[in-house]
Amino acid sequence: MTPLYDIEALDFAVPGRKLLQDMALQLPSGKVIGLIGHNGSGKSTLLNLLARQTTPDRGTIRFHGTALPDWPARKLARHLAYLPQHLPPAEGMLVRELAALGRYPWHGPLGRPGPEDHAAIDNALAACGLETIATRRVDTLSGGEAQRAWLAMLIAQEAHCLLLDEPISALDITHQVEVLSLVRHLSHDRDRSVIVVLHDLNMAARFCDHVVALRAGQVEFQGTPADLMTAPRLRSIYGADMEVLARADGTPVALPN
């Protein structure tokens, strides 16, 4: 089976610092994949490269078997959707209007939305539980509602791969669970592949199917949450001793010693 992404000999640097070094990695399709690691390990850098927001200094990234630079821009946007960590302002924009921006790859800047576009927008709002607030302004929403509105834009885009950079970093614990539950639902029930950068190790273990841990710009680990959540493995990734316990539902939780 062709991997979602196939990465070979990937390097990326900024002046005075190499952020990714000789990275080789294959990412599977149809799963929620968490990118974890300490600050500065290269998580967001890797996601930007996967989203074609930046270009590597060396190496190859293949998306669905085709080199990423070879994808025409509009065709790529119909397959791949990206949500950055720092979102642009949406002042005065209604929730439905934000979701409608996801249809741009399908009808272009001058095209008029048709029945398929309206159906995709309705479906995206329903998937995110936003039907009752579709006419509210985005800048009046709670953090969790606003994040779901941005996710609705990605769903309306009808891309089968979503790239999310720290989508829960500014949310309280209740909204973190709400957003990641939605992300998992999109993957498992709507056949999306999701790659998400997370700082919270325990959230990654709870909501992801596959985890990639980076350390100093290289892959330190990739595998299931169960394989990740052991004291020796976490020590090798974070350089700190942790105790691994089990929640009531059996999912592991790591606590620093």
Side-chain angles (χ1 to χ4, degrees), residues 23 30 53 81 98 119 147 162 172 192 197 199:
M23 180 177 289
Q53 299 295 302
L98 178 59
Q147 199 69 348
L162 310 182
D172 60 42
R192 291 330 198 253
V197 173
H199 268 300

Side-chain angles (χ1 to χ4, degrees), residues 56-74:
D57 298 326
R58 184 178 74 96
T60 302
I61 302 174
R62 294 184 181 87
F63 177 61
H64 285 304
T66 299
L68 200 53
D70 294 343
W71 282 83
R74 182 169 291 185

Side-chain angles (χ1 to χ4, degrees), residues 12 20 36 59 68 74 103 105 125 138-139 151 157 174 179 195 201-202 209 216 236 254 257:
F12 184 79
L20 300 177
I36 67 167
L68 200 53
R74 182 169 291 185
R103 299 306 297 166
L125 293 172
V138 176
D139 54 10
L151 286 172
Q157 191 173 328
T174 299
V179 168
I195 303 175
L201 169 65
N202 293 318
D209 307 305
S236 72
N257 284 336

Side-chain angles (χ1 to χ4, degrees), residues 3-109:
L4 178 67
Y5 279 99
D6 190 0
I7 300 165
E8 296 179 357
L10 193 66
D11 284 353
F12 184 79
V14 294
R17 186 181 174 202
K18 183 165 281 192
L19 300 180
L20 300 177
Q21 304 179 57
D22 198 28
M23 180 177 289
L25 182 65
Q26 286 191 343
L27 300 175
S29 295
K31 297 182 181 298
V32 180
I33 301 169
L35 298 182
I36 67 167
H38 57 79
N39 291 339
S41 60
K43 304 182 297 296
S44 292
T45 299
L46 176 58
L47 199 76
N48 286 339
L49 290 167
L50 298 181
R52 207 168 73 176
Q53 299 295 302
T54 50
T55 303
D57 298 326
R58 184 178 74 96
T60 302
I61 302 174
R62 294 184 181 87
F63 177 61
H64 285 304
T66 299
L68 200 53
D70 294 343
W71 282 83
R74 182 169 291 185
K75 184 178 180 182
L76 182 64
R78 293 179 176 182
H79 288 80
L80 182 65
Y82 169 64
L83 195 65
Q85 179 182 357
H86 302 293
L87 298 172
E91 294 179 4
M93 185 174 290
L94 304 182
V95 171
R96 185 177 182 86
E97 291 172 339
L98 178 59
L101 294 179
R103 299 306 297 166
Y104 173 84
W106 299 94
H107 58 66

